[in-house]
């Protein structure tokens, strides 16, 4: 495996970057392949180019349409007199690739061309002169291309074209000017790890079929629990398909902890259960309550202050109200980094209340958990160590490729007893190794994707200090944006004061609205500004930033920064672009 910082991707050249058909880069391709894949790399280069011939000049297109590629043999005789096989994608189909007999040569050629498409897309993702999005309306894309599935197979030339077309209209989430979601950026080591796990194509439920990946999940979850503050990293955890599922796991385990009989007998065997979370919390708490049969009406929303933080006194008041009605409070979900405001609930105060009334404390740190990696900002999660469970999404603030979400549980063994079903055909008890490494029976899923390797490999490449530098930079950029617009003409902040996270919430007020009184008419017109500017952003393809209403506040921009490629110049560009696109409104 390549060591961090060893120049894995530095093989392009200015005269045909990333194009193995170009002689300026073909040898660099081979050098990289040989360095990092050993014999496979040697074999690939021999098959595609041979030792005695250079690849022919081409026009630099991503994939030669209906082109013929000369492929060398793999015999040991040099010079070789074997006839060279022609690879013409127009006459090849998926059935000609491995495991087809003699499918090795077309397979390697095909996969290299796919890789070429991917690498050129990666390079374009970081090019500020390219569009963030080539936007087309749904009906336009449906009419322009035939997306329907057919009975008869298409040839590999058409398959490569589909790959190009799909990426042509994909959103460049790694683009330095893409700010639309909490998860942005494109990390090269994480990307390499994702390619590796897809190639390995295994499942996380037993050690016997995913030995290294299972061990890496064990090591990584333990490290995350140490960072949370649980002694020695004790406890349990699992990587799940996303923060919503991690939060649902927490509700499931909290319910089981209080009423273990619910596992066999269902909700009819337990009293009315009530969960509490802030009115600014993620919708997944209600979704989880619906899925688990608790019901959305059983999720009580606690009032927040003007900064979006849960008010502890209102939490305690609502707990007492519920208990007086004979209902049973079973979970409080505090949020560390709310989706819109980026607010951090007062975890120490919430922990005191949960301890007082013997209620499971969950912390949804899907967005804010990454700040635990920063010595400068981790104080915002003070009290998280007192939680019974924590959701933490490295695919958000830490920039790990989607998906990568962890649910950490303080009590070891609880997740296993809550979820295990003792499937004897998978979790045999007479295996020859330590059965504690068969982790599948503590998951709701059976099939489970390898999500840990991206995080583990990035952590090895960056170190904790690398994640810290990334997070500190993003927080600094958010403060930079806030300082520019807080007193700038045409901007109004949604709430007063410097944001705690990278969320910067503001209205852009066009010149035509600046002279109006602050009344219902002005609010009505202001609510239409952000949607129009966002639509223009997408149609021009220059940048993307999210907007939404919240409570009694009409549509405002919610700027979030998690992309390590973003710079001060990109923040300046965003401000100028908003003004350019909104001046006439």
């Amino acid at each position: 495996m390549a060591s961090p910082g060893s120049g894995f991707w530095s093989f392009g050249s200015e005269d045909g970057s990333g194009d193995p058909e170009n002689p300026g880069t073909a040898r660099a391709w081979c050098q990289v392949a040989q360095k990092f894949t050993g014999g496979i790399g040697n074999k690939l280069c021999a098959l595609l180019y041979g030792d005695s011939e250079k690849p022919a000049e081409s026009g630099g297109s991503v994939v030669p349409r209906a082109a013929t590629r000369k492929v060398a043999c793999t015999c040991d005789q040099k010079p070789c007199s074997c006839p060279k096989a022609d690879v013409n994608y127009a006459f090849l189909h998926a059935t000609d690739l491995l495991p087809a007999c003699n499918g090795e040569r077309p397979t390697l050629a095909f996969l290299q061309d796919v890789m070429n498409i991917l690498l050129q897309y990666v390079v374009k993702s970081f090019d500020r002169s390219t569009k963030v999005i080539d936007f087309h309306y749904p009906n336009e894309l449906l009419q322009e291309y035939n997306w329907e599935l057919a009975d008869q197979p298409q040839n590999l030339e058409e398959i490569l074209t589909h790959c190009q077309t799909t990426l042509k209209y994909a959103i460049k989430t790694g683009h330095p000017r893409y700010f639309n979601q909490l998860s942005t950026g494109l990390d090269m080591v994480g990307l390499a790890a994702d390619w590796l796990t897809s190639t390995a194509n295994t499942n996380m439920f037993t050690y016997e079929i995913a030995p290294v990946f299972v061990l890496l999940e064990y090591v990584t979850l333990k490290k995350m629990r140490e960072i949370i503050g649980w002694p020695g990293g004790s406890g349990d955890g699992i990587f799940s398909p996303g923060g919503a599922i991690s939060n649902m796991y927490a509700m499931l385990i909290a319910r089981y902890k209080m009423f273990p009989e619910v596992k066999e007998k269902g909700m009819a065997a337990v009293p009315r259960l009530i969960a509490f979370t802030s009115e600014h919390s993620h919708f997944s708490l209600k979704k989880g309550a619906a899925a688990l049969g608790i019901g959305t009406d059983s999720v009580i929303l606690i009032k927040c202050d003007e900064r979006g933080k849960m008010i502890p006194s209102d939490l305690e008041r609502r707990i007492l109200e519920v208990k007086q009605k004979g209902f049973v409070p079973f979970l409080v979900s505090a949020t560390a980094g709310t989706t819109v405001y980026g607010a951090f609930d007062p975890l120490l105060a919430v922990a005191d209340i949960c301890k007082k009334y013997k209620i499971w404390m969950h912390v949804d740190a899907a967005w804010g958990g990454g700040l635990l990696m920063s010595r400068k900002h981790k104080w915002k999660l003070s009290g998280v160590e007192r939680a019974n469970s924590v959701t933490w999404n490295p695919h958000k603030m830490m920039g790990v490729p989607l998906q990568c979400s962890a649910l950490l549980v303080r009590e070891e063994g609880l997740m296993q007893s809550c979820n295990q079903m003792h499937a004897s055909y998978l979790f045999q008890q007479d295996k020859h190794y330590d059965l504690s490494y068969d982790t599948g029976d503590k998951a709701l899923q059976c099939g489970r994707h390898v999500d840990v390797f991206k995080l583990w490999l990035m952590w090895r490449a960056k170190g904790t200090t690398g994640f810290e530098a990334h997070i500190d930079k993003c927080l600094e950029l958010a403060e930079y944006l806030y300082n520019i617009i807080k007193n700038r003409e045409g901007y109004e902040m949604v709430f007063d004061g410097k944001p705690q996270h990278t969320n910067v919430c503001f209205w852009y007020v066009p010149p035509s609205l600046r002279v109006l009184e602050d009344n219902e008419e002005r609010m009505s017109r202001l609510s239409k500004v952000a949607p129009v500017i966002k639509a223009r952003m997408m149609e021009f393809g220059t940048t993307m930033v999210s907007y939404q209403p919240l409570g009694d506040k009409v549509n405002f921009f919610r700027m979030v920064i998690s992309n390590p490629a973003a710079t001060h110049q990109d923040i300046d560009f965003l401000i100028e672009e908003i003004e350019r696109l909104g001046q006439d409104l």
Side-chain angles (χ1 to χ4, degrees):
M1 184 178 294
S3 62
S6 55
F8 190 87
W9 299 107
S10 57
F11 56 84
S13 67
E14 295 180 359
D15 58 343
S17 178
D19 185 357
E21 292 292 323
N22 188 298
T25 58
R27 291 302 173 193
W29 267 83
C30 289
Q31 290 168 5
V32 171
Q34 289 163 5
K35 182 175 181 181
F36 292 103
T37 61
I40 296 175
N42 292 329
K43 197 172 187 180
L44 174 62
C45 291
L47 282 170
L48 294 179
Y49 302 124
D51 276 0
S52 60
E53 62 178 287
K54 294 183 179 180
E57 290 278 0
S58 77
S61 59
V62 176
V63 178
R65 308 253 338 233
T68 299
R69 179 192 294 275
K70 290 292 184 179
V71 181
C73 77
T74 57
C75 74
D76 295 329
Q77 299 177 7
K78 302 297 177 184
C80 172
S81 60
C82 300
K84 302 296 187 292
D86 290 341
V87 177
N88 191 326
Y89 294 131
F91 296 98
L92 290 177
H93 292 79
T95 50
D96 295 305
L97 303 176
L98 289 173
C101 182
N102 299 320
E104 183 174 327
R105 296 176 186 177
T107 297
L108 292 176
F110 172 73
L111 290 179
Q112 188 189 22
D113 278 338
V114 172
M115 183 63 70
N116 194 23
I117 293 172
L118 297 178
L119 294 178
Q120 289 201 12
Y121 180 80
V122 168
V123 171
K124 288 181 180 178
S125 291
F126 292 92
D127 184 353
R128 288 172 174 81
S129 67
T130 63
K131 290 184 176 183
V132 174
I133 172 178
D134 185 358
F135 179 76
H136 287 66
Y137 288 96
N139 62 314
E140 293 175 338
L141 283 181
L142 286 172
Q143 292 170 9
E144 188 171 350
Y145 296 95
N146 178 14
W147 306 98
E148 298 301 321
L149 300 173
D151 293 334
Q152 298 305 313
Q154 292 185 320
N155 61 50
L156 293 182
E157 181 191 348
E158 293 172 307
I159 298 305
L160 288 169
T161 299
H162 294 328
C163 292
Q164 290 174 299
T165 302
T166 300
L167 286 180
K168 173 179 170 58
Y169 298 107
I171 312 300
K172 295 184 181 70
T173 57
H175 197 288
R177 291 171 180 169
Y178 175 80
F179 305 105
N180 205 67
Q181 251 63 49
L182 302 183
S183 51
T184 63
L186 183 59
D187 184 89
M188 297 300 102
V189 174
L191 179 62
D194 229 358
W195 288 345
L196 186 147
T197 54
S198 293
T199 303
N201 192 33
T202 193
N203 203 313
M204 285 294 289
F205 44 52
T206 62
Y207 177 84
E208 68 180 270
I209 65 166
V212 175
F213 294 136
V214 165
L215 294 180
L216 295 184
E217 184 172 68
Y218 169 81
V219 168
T220 304
L221 290 172
K222 183 174 184 290
K223 181 67 173 180
M224 295 174 78
R225 293 192 298 266
E226 288 177 357
I227 290 173
I228 286 172
W230 295 335
S234 62
D236 207 342
I238 202 165
F239 283 91
S240 83
I245 302 299
S246 292
N247 287 339
M248 187 172 74
Y249 265 121
M251 300 182 81
L252 179 71
I253 298 166
R255 183 179 65 177
Y256 176 81
K257 174 69 174 178
M258 187 171 284
F259 296 101
E261 63 269 26
V262 73
K263 181 176 178 179
E264 289 80 21
K265 298 179 180 178
M267 287 297 293
V270 301
R272 173 79 179 274
L273 301 180
I274 303 295
F276 305 85
T277 190
S278 88
E279 58 188 3
H280 283 210
S281 66
H282 195 263
F283 68 88
S284 58
L285 272 299
K286 284 198 171 185
K287 184 169 284 191
L292 296 177
I294 297 168
T296 58
D297 287 348
S298 295
V299 178
I300 305 298
L301 300 182
I302 306 304
K303 292 179 181 178
C304 294
D305 63 19
E306 68 281 356
R307 297 293 304 270
K309 301 179 183 181
M310 181 190 290
I311 300 175
S313 60
D314 191 56
L315 171 63
E316 186 164 21
R317 179 181 69 83
R318 299 305 297 272
I319 289 173
L320 292 172
E321 284 181 358
V322 164
K323 290 173 69 70
Q324 289 171 0
K325 293 178 181 179
F327 302 152
V328 178
F330 83 106
L331 175 137
V332 173
S333 179
T335 309
T338 58
T339 304
V340 180
Y341 280 10
F344 290 79
D345 288 341
L347 301 184
L348 287 170
V350 171
D352 288 341
I353 293 170
C354 288
K355 180 180 180 181
K356 180 178 180 179
Y357 295 101
K358 298 179 180 179
I359 303 173
W360 183 282
M361 178 183 174
H362 175 63
V363 175
D364 178 5
W367 175 221
L371 271 63
L372 289 168
M373 309 292 279
S374 167
R375 286 167 290 185
K376 182 177 180 180
H377 295 286
K378 65 181 180 180
W379 65 269
K380 298 169 186 177
L381 290 94
S382 293
V384 68
E385 71 281 356
R386 295 178 61 185
N388 299 97
S389 58
V390 178
T391 291
W392 180 353
N393 286 8
H395 70 229
K396 287 190 168 75
M397 197 62 207
M398 294 169 66
V400 178
L402 286 161
Q403 63 194 28
C404 189
S405 173
L407 185 277
L408 297 313
V409 182
R410 187 166 62 183
E411 182 176 338
E412 187 174 1
L414 187 60
M415 177 177 281
Q416 180 83 7
S417 58
C418 175
N419 294 319
Q420 68 183 161
M421 292 295 162
H422 304 287
S424 60
Y425 55 84
L426 190 59
F427 307 113
Q428 302 92 337
Q429 297 303 295
D430 53 358
K431 294 181 180 180
H432 62 290
Y433 57 81
D434 185 346
L435 296 180
S436 67
Y437 291 104
D438 282 359
T439 59
D441 214 11
K442 67 182 178 183
L444 287 175
Q445 305 161 256
C446 180
R448 190 160 65 89
H449 187 261
V450 179
D451 292 329
V452 66
F453 190 64
K454 296 170 289 191
L455 173 58
W456 179 86
L457 198 65
M458 285 177 62
W459 211 322
R460 296 282 286 197
K462 288 171 170 284
T464 305
T465 57
F467 281 122
E468 178 180 44
H470 164 202
I471 288 159
D472 288 350
K473 175 189 174 183
C474 291
L475 269 292
E476 188 275 326
L477 285 175
E479 186 173 353
Y480 174 77
L481 171 61
Y482 168 74
N483 287 334
I484 288 176
I485 66 174
K486 64 180 179 180
N487 296 317
R488 188 182 180 100
E489 185 180 10
Y491 291 85
E492 295 179 9
M493 306 308 300
V494 173
F495 55 84
D496 294 330
K498 184 174 69 174
Q500 276 198 291
H501 208 340
T502 69
N503 308 52
V504 183
C505 301
F506 60 92
W507 289 283
Y508 172 69
V509 184
S512 65
L513 301 186
R514 295 173 197 171
V515 296
L516 297 182
E517 294 183 10
D518 189 6
N519 54 27
E520 187 174 337
E521 179 189 354
R522 183 179 186 271
M523 286 297 102
S524 177
R525 292 178 60 180
L526 185 60
S527 70
K528 299 178 176 63
V529 171
V532 172
I533 294 177
K534 172 66 176 289
R536 291 176 177 179
M537 285 179 178
M538 295 179 67
E539 289 170 354
F540 281 102
T542 51
T543 186
M544 286 181 69
V545 60
S546 183
Y547 73 86
Q548 68 283 300
L550 185 67
D552 61 351
K553 294 178 171 59
V554 300
N555 285 323
F556 56 88
F557 285 111
R558 179 206 61 172
M559 174 68 174
V560 288
I561 305 169
S562 59
N563 189 345
T567 65
H568 293 90
Q569 290 73 28
D570 297 311
I571 302 300
D572 295 338
F573 175 86
L574 173 72
I575 296 170
E576 294 168 2
E577 190 69 352
I578 287 175
E579 294 173 356
R580 181 181 76 86
L581 298 174
Q583 280 291 315
D584 63 334
L585 297 179

